[in-house]
């Protein structure tokens, strides 16, 4: 917990989040309610089943690892094709191949680490909402975050 003036920032570790209503559903997703121990406000969070959360996490990790492997393969190939001198009749094919490899390297450079990081942080908990006075969930949850 961090306090700066009137703003209270609470970071919950999802593995230590405890509430009588915090149970993972067997299939699909469900909403769980809990109360902030710092400020006493009521919140809801969408909880995925353990199998679904593991599948999404594994998918992101595999896609991220494949993109990182493609990055390691495409950069040396770009250097190889880019450093060659070719005849004029082969120039179009070499430029097209180099363009595809540069595009693949760019997508892998951005998407690989991002997807891998998202996969490592995926817990199956999302849509943290504060419960307003009339019982409806609010979109704004100022000062409250869920951390993996």
């Amino acid at each position: 917990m961090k306090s700066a003036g009137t703003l209270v920032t609470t970071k919950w570790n999802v593995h230590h989040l405890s509430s009588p209503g915090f149970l993972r559903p067997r299939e699909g997703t469900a909403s769980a309610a809990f109360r902030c121990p710092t400020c006493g406000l009521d919140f809801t969070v969408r909880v995925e089943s353990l199998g679904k959360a593991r599948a999404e996490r594994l998918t992101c990790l595999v896609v991220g690892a494949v993109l990182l492997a493609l990055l390691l393969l495409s950069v040396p190939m770009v250097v190889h094709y880019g450093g060659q001198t070719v005849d004029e009749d082969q120039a179009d094919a070499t430029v097209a191949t180099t363009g595809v490899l540069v595009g693949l390297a760019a997508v892998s450079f951005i998407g690989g680490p991002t997807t891998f990081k998202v996969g490592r942080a995926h817990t199956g908990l999302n849509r943290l909402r504060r419960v307003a006075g009339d019982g409806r969930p609010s979109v704004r949850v100022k000062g409250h975050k869920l951390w993996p």
Side-chain angles (χ1 to χ4, degrees), residues 82-93:
Q84 288 183 344
T85 56
V86 294
D87 295 331
E88 288 183 17
D89 57 338
Q90 296 175 343
D92 291 338

Side-chain angles (χ1 to χ4, degrees), residues 40-123:
L41 294 174
D42 292 326
F43 290 89
T44 63
V45 67
R46 193 178 82 176
V47 182
E48 296 176 348
S49 67
L50 191 57
K52 184 177 179 181
R54 283 183 181 162
E56 287 181 12
R57 179 181 179 161
L58 184 62
T59 301
C60 285
L61 289 174
V62 168
V63 168
V66 167
L67 286 174
L68 288 172
L70 284 175
L71 177 65
L72 292 176
L73 292 174
S74 63
V75 169
M77 290 177 71
V78 166
V79 171
H80 173 71
Y81 279 112
Q84 288 183 344
T85 56
V86 294
D87 295 331
E88 288 183 17
D89 57 338
Q90 296 175 343
D92 291 338
T94 303
V95 168
T97 303
T98 305
V100 168
L101 288 172
V102 167
L104 182 64
V107 168
S108 299
F109 180 73
I110 295 169
T114 303
T115 308
F116 196 78
K117 185 177 178 182
V118 166
R120 286 187 50 121
H122 185 71
T123 58

